Amino acid sequence: MSLVLNSCADKFDEIDTNPNSTENPLPTGLFNSANKEYVDYTRDGWVSGRMMLPWVQYSAQRQYTEEDRYQYRLTTGTQLWTRSYYVAQDYKKIIDLNTDPATAAQMSNYGANVNQIAAARIMLSYVFLNLADAFGDIPYYSYGNKDADFQALNVNENLQPKFASQQKVYADIMKELKEAAAMIDVTKDVLTSGDQLFGNDPEKLKKFANSLRLRVATRVKGVVAGAEAHITDAIASGVMTSNDDTVGLTYENNLINPSPFFLTYQTRSDFAISKTFVQLLKGQAGNFGEDPRIFKYASPTSVKIGNIRNQTMVEATSASQIAGMPYGVPSTLAASQAASSSFFGASVLKPAYTEVFMEYAEVEFLLAEANGWSQTNYAKGVRASMERWNVPTDKIDTFVAALPAASKANVLTQKYVSLFMQPNEAWAEYRRTGYPNHLLLPGQTANLNVPSASGQTTYTFTSLIAGLNDLPTRIFYPTTVQTLNTANYQAAATAIGGDKMDTKLIWDNN
């Protein structure tokens, strides 16, 4: 018996091997799961719903209004940090599998090695960009730069990575995007099948890389050396030219795998459209008149939570049927205002919603800025946004024809309207430019929708973070980082000017 058992043990690895499986994860599965996990946990009811959407006043909470007044839950910021590094590790795994001689040949069965590497580099750039925009100095990884300060994602070597400076991070992101776009083989698929983000289209991947580089370079121009050259080169290399180039993840039209923000409403009813945003769309603020996107962005007040959950929402037929939730009211006043406020629109609150990574309309607004606030690019941006939201053509034509002349204020305000549901980018743009300039800021007074029980008709927006008199300029580093990587955390906090919500990032000119 001993001989038999020993013989079986000697061959256990052989016996226990499934001849139909691979020893390595499939790159398609890694890529798609990383993309979905990133969106699931950054466009949900926490990072997006309780932090970034209200901060840029696209939304206002119907309860827990302390978070609208900047007293966010630290676990929300931790979720953004930890999920970002989880998915970054998956993207790096794709690079490792396609560069290791022992696995590269096998990986080539699922798409060209160079295209898989390029896709992973581009998505890493996207994730690290959003991390740097939110926190400042961060642990960072680069495929093509072996800088000693780039120590992230090397979990087998370094569990306490240094934080790279913003200057180095943004400079390397631009370099990575340029190199990744250049290495794409446009004659071959990104992945042979199942690519849910780019549809296996290498040209779309390349346009995304160049467009994302244009975004980054515009953000850090005048601050990071070489950014202006990257703007020129990214445009020349080929950016998005139509809504077909927009990159987004479309969820399934069911309750098993629905969009993350819609899923939130299956158990919560916290989030309404913000009154300050509705006032802009109605033409009560700014100088654009009534925007037909209001019927896509917001629902009539007659829509209740049950209509969202059973998918019987309807669009308003008149802007008068829409009312935003007063932003940042004291929690004692929230209940009195919620019933008369609108939820998000049916075009947003649906299972098969598309969460956008970057859209063509944004590219036109970036081009408008690069071209000295061009009227042509500005009008193209507005039109592209409205077309993506399926606004009727006659209403688009009327609105675009009446656009006020292109200027910094007008272009950037329309960019803000177009970035609806992409709050991390809208937040970055506000910090960089100061637009839109209609937001309700701490210390200012606004009207309630209906008088409170005591007859109160106005309120003052009060920040719950001492000394914060504008939008937050960054979020706190997670407490886990403070305790598990203390020395490097302290060095980073000192380098950026303090781990505070009013510490400005290097490109924050507002």
Side-chain angles (χ1 to χ4, degrees):
M1 183 177 291
S2 176
L3 287 172
V4 172
L5 290 175
N6 286 336
S7 177
C8 289
D10 289 343
K11 296 181 179 181
F12 181 78
D13 290 341
E14 178 182 334
I15 295 170
D16 196 48
T17 299
N18 180 350
N20 298 315
S21 71
T22 175
E23 294 180 3
N24 297 300
L26 299 183
T28 303
L30 274 175
F31 192 65
N32 286 335
S33 65
N35 297 336
K36 182 179 181 298
E37 182 176 357
Y38 186 72
V39 177
D40 281 352
Y41 290 98
T42 61
R43 301 290 182 90
D44 64 339
W46 293 101
V47 172
S48 195
R50 297 192 183 281
M51 190 164 63
M52 292 187 182
L53 276 172
W55 285 0
V56 293
Q57 297 179 31
Y58 288 142
S59 72
Q61 294 199 68
R62 293 155 52 89
Q63 52 186 323
Y64 307 121
T65 61
E66 293 83 1
E67 291 165 316
D68 289 13
R69 292 182 286 153
Y70 312 150
Q71 190 173 290
Y72 75 98
R73 307 176 206 201
L74 295 180
T75 52
T76 304
T78 300
Q79 177 174 304
L80 173 61
W81 179 280
T82 56
R83 291 292 176 173
S84 296
Y85 282 103
Y86 284 159
V87 301
Q89 195 70 58
D90 282 347
Y91 295 133
K92 182 177 181 292
K93 181 67 173 178
I94 293 172
I95 292 174
D96 293 342
L97 290 170
N98 280 275
T99 53
D100 186 343
T103 54
Q106 180 188 6
M107 293 304 109
S108 67
N109 293 321
Y110 308 106
N113 294 124
V114 289
N115 287 355
Q116 292 184 53
I117 295 169
R121 293 175 77 177
I122 292 163
M123 295 311 299
L124 278 167
S125 296
Y126 183 88
V127 170
F128 281 123
L129 171 64
N130 289 333
L131 278 168
D133 287 349
F135 294 96
D137 292 9
I138 55 170
Y140 179 74
Y141 161 84
S142 173
Y143 169 81
N145 187 343
K146 305 310 175 187
D147 190 304
D149 286 347
F150 297 167
Q151 298 180 359
L153 308 187
N154 297 315
V155 294
N156 294 326
E157 301 173 13
N158 194 343
L159 294 175
Q160 295 178 313
K162 291 179 64 174
F163 288 55
S165 69
Q166 295 165 67
Q167 286 278 356
K168 286 189 174 184
V169 169
Y170 288 114
D172 193 71
I173 286 174
M174 290 186 288
K175 179 197 73 68
E176 281 291 289
L177 289 168
K178 179 177 181 177
E179 291 181 0
M183 76 185 294
I184 295 171
D185 184 344
V186 296
T187 69
K188 297 180 180 178
D189 288 340
V190 179
L191 294 164
T192 52
S193 65
D195 173 9
Q196 297 169 353
L197 206 57
F198 300 100
N200 307 318
D201 184 348
E203 290 283 4
K204 186 170 185 175
L205 176 64
K206 191 164 191 171
K207 288 181 179 180
F208 177 60
N210 291 328
S211 300
L212 188 58
R213 181 157 59 109
L214 177 59
R215 172 195 282 183
V216 182
T218 300
R219 179 153 305 147
V220 300
K221 64 183 178 182
V223 178
V224 176
E228 290 77 5
H230 276 291
I231 291 174
T232 302
D233 187 70
I235 295 170
S237 298
V239 293
M240 297 177 185
T241 57
S242 77
N243 278 329
D244 290 338
D245 297 327
T246 291
V247 174
L249 184 63
T250 301
Y251 282 76
E252 296 175 5
N253 190 27
N254 55 49
L255 297 180
I256 299 172
N257 189 28
S259 63
F261 200 61
F262 172 79
L263 183 61
T264 300
Y265 284 80
Q266 299 309 297
T267 56
R268 307 293 308 181
S269 60
D270 295 12
F271 313 112
I273 200 82
S274 168
K275 186 172 183 175
T276 50
F277 192 40
V278 168
Q279 288 173 325
L280 177 63
L281 295 173
K282 284 186 174 183
Q284 297 168 346
N287 58 341
F288 297 99
E290 184 178 296
D291 190 318
R293 285 170 290 190
I294 191 172
F295 302 106
K296 305 297 180 179
Y297 291 175
S299 68
T301 55
S302 59
V303 167
K304 304 304 179 185
I305 188 63
N307 300 118
I308 298 172
R309 291 173 181 168
N310 60 29
Q311 299 172 57
T312 58
M313 295 181 71
V314 295
E315 286 190 7
T317 56
S318 168
S320 63
Q321 298 171 326
I322 296 170
M325 175 76 182
Y327 179 76
V329 295
S331 57
T332 53
L333 294 176
S336 68
Q337 307 303 306
S340 60
S341 301
S342 295
F343 288 109
F344 290 75
S347 294
V348 177
L349 296 179
K350 59 183 183 180
Y353 181 70
T354 299
E355 288 288 356
V356 171
F357 285 74
M358 189 172 187
E359 66 177 300
Y360 163 58
E362 181 190 343
V363 172
E364 287 293 350
F365 291 120
L366 289 166
L367 291 172
E369 182 171 350
N371 293 328
W373 309 111
S374 158
Q375 182 78 24
T376 299
N377 296 121
Y378 160 57
K380 284 184 176 180
V382 174
R383 181 176 293 276
S385 173
M386 291 186 168
E387 288 176 348
R388 185 174 78 80
W389 286 96
N390 296 315
V391 173
T393 301
D394 59 330
K395 291 186 177 182
I396 297 176
D397 291 342
T398 299
F399 189 84
V400 171
L403 278 172
S407 65
K408 181 178 181 180
N410 289 336
V411 171
L412 292 173
T413 300
Q414 279 301 310
K415 185 177 184 180
Y416 164 81
V417 174
S418 297
L419 286 171
F420 178 60
M421 297 307 292
Q422 301 170 65
N424 52 322
E425 187 59 24
W427 180 39
E429 283 296 272
Y430 176 83
R431 288 175 288 160
R432 179 178 76 93
T433 69
Y435 290 100
N437 59 4
H438 74 283
L439 301 182
L440 186 67
L441 300 180
Q444 295 179 344
T445 298
N447 293 321
L448 296 171
N449 283 349
V450 295
S452 69
S454 63
Q456 183 177 344
T457 59
T458 64
Y459 70 101
T460 300
F461 175 43
T462 304
S463 169
L464 296 179
I465 302 298
L468 192 54
N469 298 314
D470 203 332
L471 271 64
T473 51
R474 62 177 295 278
I475 59 178
F476 295 114
Y477 288 122
T479 53
T480 52
V481 173
Q482 298 178 34
T483 55
L484 299 177
N485 194 8
T486 305
N488 288 316
Y489 157 74
Q490 291 174 341
T494 300
I496 66 173
D499 185 13
K500 301 176 293 184
M501 291 181 71
D502 61 353
T503 296
K504 289 194 171 188
L505 304 188
I506 60 171
W507 44 261
D508 187 343
N509 299 312
N510 174 26

